Amino acid sequence: SQTIHQWPATLVQPVGSPLSLECTVEGTSNPNLYWYRQAAGRGLQLLFYSVGIGQISSEVPQNLSASRPQDRQFILSSKKLLLSDSGFYLCAWRVSSYNSPLHFGNGTRLTVT
Amino acid sequence: QKEVEQNSGPLSVPEGAIASLNCTYSDRGSQSFFWYRQYSGKSPELIMFIYSNGDKEDGRFTAQLNKASQYVSLLIRDSQPSDSATYLCAVNKPAGTALIFGKGTTLSVSS
């Protein structure tokens, strides 16, 4: 069966510090990978998605970036965090089939102070 | 117009009642529709999905899709206090490879 691992679970970082969140998927090959953010009281916002190694599509211009160095690894980064980057970050995967559902990791609660 | 709209709630129902959650979407070409449940502080979990007009049943849950009206709903029969959560509607855009989510409806089931 497929599993998705996301870490860390919680993170408190000062403004201006860097960020690296990692996500890995097991039990499947060539998944589509996603990063979403959920700010307090708001909906799920799509940040990035990837359909293959090195292929990243950005949905929202901001100070975040994503990379996919391996087939089942997806990394979200920032060089300098802003207060507005606080939120619940969710990694998700699905098979590369148009109508397949998303499966989410447990999420990372990021607080920028 | 927002791409996927849901009433934020809260929707309050007594235990054992039917809860009806509604969602509208703006892109007429959308082809697949998903319902997720999210408990406070947790990640969303898939309840069910629907692709064709009509009803699809899975246990106590029934998804209903009307593409002509651009409307999808989720019915929860015999609601339980454990069903209290936020329910997210998601739509797969016709030319996209990602799901677009509504802001969710908060359901409260009282015992």
Side-chain angles (χ1 to χ4, degrees):
Chain A
S1 64
Q2 302 89 1
T3 56
I4 179 170
H5 303 280
Q6 188 180 344
W7 66 93
T10 59
L11 194 58
V12 180
Q13 293 283 97
V15 168
S17 64
L19 174 73
S20 181
L21 303 180
E22 189 165 342
C23 169
T24 59
V25 180
E26 295 178 356
T28 187
S29 297
N30 196 32
N32 288 352
L33 297 172
Y34 304 83
W35 282 109
Y36 283 84
R37 178 173 64 196
Q38 190 173 39
R42 301 182 66 178
L44 280 167
Q45 179 187 31
L46 177 65
L47 301 176
F48 302 94
Y49 67 90
S50 171
V51 298
I53 295 174
Q55 300 179 59
I56 308 295
S57 296
S58 174
E59 291 293 307
V60 182
Q62 54 206 334
N63 68 319
L64 300 173
S65 62
S67 62
R68 185 171 177 174
Q70 300 181 44
D71 181 45
R72 290 168 288 176
Q73 183 185 27
F74 205 23
I75 298 172
L76 181 70
S77 304
S78 173
K79 293 182 179 179
K80 287 185 178 181
L81 284 169
L82 307 173
L83 284 174
S84 57
D85 291 324
S86 293
F88 192 37
Y89 287 80
L90 291 155
C91 181
W93 74 275
R94 67 175 178 178
V95 298
S96 24
S97 167
Y98 178 74
N99 286 327
S100 59
L102 281 179
H103 305 280
F104 287 91
N106 289 333
T108 295
R109 178 80 55 190
L110 172 66
T111 303
V112 182
T113 60
Chain B
Q1 184 182 8
K2 295 179 181 177
E3 293 182 279
V4 181
E5 293 203 61
Q6 300 179 251
N7 290 327
S8 60
L11 173 65
S12 298
V13 301
E15 183 175 358
I18 296 175
S20 178
L21 305 162
N22 305 316
C23 173
T24 59
Y25 58 95
S26 60
D27 196 324
R28 185 170 291 278
S30 299
Q31 298 182 12
S32 51
F33 308 86
F34 306 82
W35 282 100
Y36 287 80
R37 177 175 62 197
Q38 186 176 24
Y39 292 110
S40 180
K42 303 295 185 181
S43 62
E45 52 182 340
L46 179 70
I47 299 174
M48 62 190 306
F49 51 87
I50 186 167
Y51 304 147
S52 304
N53 276 330
D55 295 358
K56 179 182 179 182
E57 187 174 318
D58 184 0
R60 296 187 295 113
F61 299 96
T62 298
Q64 298 175 318
L65 175 61
N66 184 325
K67 289 186 178 181
S69 300
Q70 295 174 240
Y71 176 91
V72 59
S73 65
L74 179 70
L75 300 179
I76 306 175
R77 291 182 300 280
D78 189 24
S79 296
Q80 301 297 309
S82 58
D83 294 325
S84 299
T86 296
Y87 289 79
L88 305 173
C89 172
V91 175
N92 203 35
K93 295 184 68 174
T97 58
L99 298 190
I100 304 301
F101 286 80
K103 290 187 176 182
T105 298
T106 300
L107 172 66
S108 177
V109 181
S110 56
S111 57

